[in-house]
Amino acid sequence: MGAQDEADINTWLGYLEQVLEPLPAIERADIVFEARAHLEERVAAGLSATSALAGFGKAEQYARGFLDDHALTQALDSRRALTMARTLLQVAGQSLIATLGLVGFLLFAVTTLGAVACLLIKIAKPDLAALWPDAQRLGNWAYPILIAVVAVDAWLARFSLVLALKGLKVRSDRE
């Protein structure tokens, strides 16, 4: 391998390492090591460094899959709904799975908040809680019903996030 080929590869790998900065150092080093091995293999097979690098594309494009996979793993490991929603929001424009997961989350989150509001109104002002016909017939049954709606909707909101993230993770693992 010529000096210019080596310089071109080192420049690209240095930029790749910068782009991969959000990843843990060990993971970043492994990715750069693997990329270097593949590039050197291609150059040894007779390609120029420019041709070998063109096959990898821009460092940002090459790193995108690793960064997205890391973000998905972090979101799932966090077990926090807002972290998971934020991660899905970042990839929603690129993925139908992420968009559907966000829509499900928002739908169930809004109904959860609505049920919480109804429960608070029922507690604070029971005479105003007739939000639907024949609501007075429910009497005190409105409390457990609303609590159940809150619990089920909150679980479904979280489930839609986890399901979408796992779907994206499986898809990224296949690619």
Side-chain angles (χ1 to χ4, degrees):
M1 176 169 23
Q4 185 58 47
D5 284 347
E6 192 169 334
D8 290 346
I9 288 173
N10 286 336
T11 300
W12 188 86
L13 290 171
Y15 191 55
L16 175 63
E17 190 162 5
Q18 288 176 358
V19 174
L20 293 171
E21 187 65 33
L23 300 181
I26 293 171
E27 193 174 337
R28 194 170 55 241
D30 285 346
I31 294 167
V32 171
F33 178 81
E34 284 290 323
R36 178 182 296 283
H38 288 295
L39 287 167
E40 288 175 352
E41 189 177 289
R42 290 179 183 191
V43 171
L47 285 176
S48 68
T50 305
S51 297
L53 288 168
F56 274 68
K58 292 183 177 184
E60 298 92 346
Q61 293 168 328
Y62 185 75
R64 177 63 23 221
F66 298 109
L67 294 170
D68 287 348
D69 186 60
H70 179 70
L72 293 173
T73 301
Q74 293 289 91
L76 280 169
D77 290 348
S78 77
R79 305 178 72 89
R80 293 184 177 146
L82 291 179
T83 302
M84 290 188 277
R86 193 176 319 115
T87 302
L88 284 178
L89 190 59
Q90 291 171 352
V91 295
Q94 307 162 14
S95 168
L96 181 61
I97 294 170
T99 303
L100 292 175
L102 274 176
V103 168
F105 169 73
L106 292 173
L107 174 74
F108 293 120
V110 166
T111 56
T112 299
L113 293 174
V116 167
C118 289
L119 187 59
L120 293 174
I121 290 170
K122 179 74 173 156
I123 292 169
K125 299 271 188 177
D127 54 315
L128 296 178
L131 301 174
W132 54 87
D134 296 330
Q136 295 302 331
R137 278 199 234 170
L138 286 177
N140 287 336
W141 280 100
Y143 296 111
I145 290 171
L146 287 171
I147 289 170
V149 168
V150 167
V152 169
D153 278 350
W155 183 85
L156 286 171
R158 184 168 167 50
F159 180 73
S160 66
L161 291 173
V162 171
L163 190 64
L165 285 168
K166 285 185 177 182
L168 289 171
K169 185 96 171 87
V170 166
R171 191 185 80 190
S172 75
D173 288 346
R174 276 192 251 148
E175 294 174 356

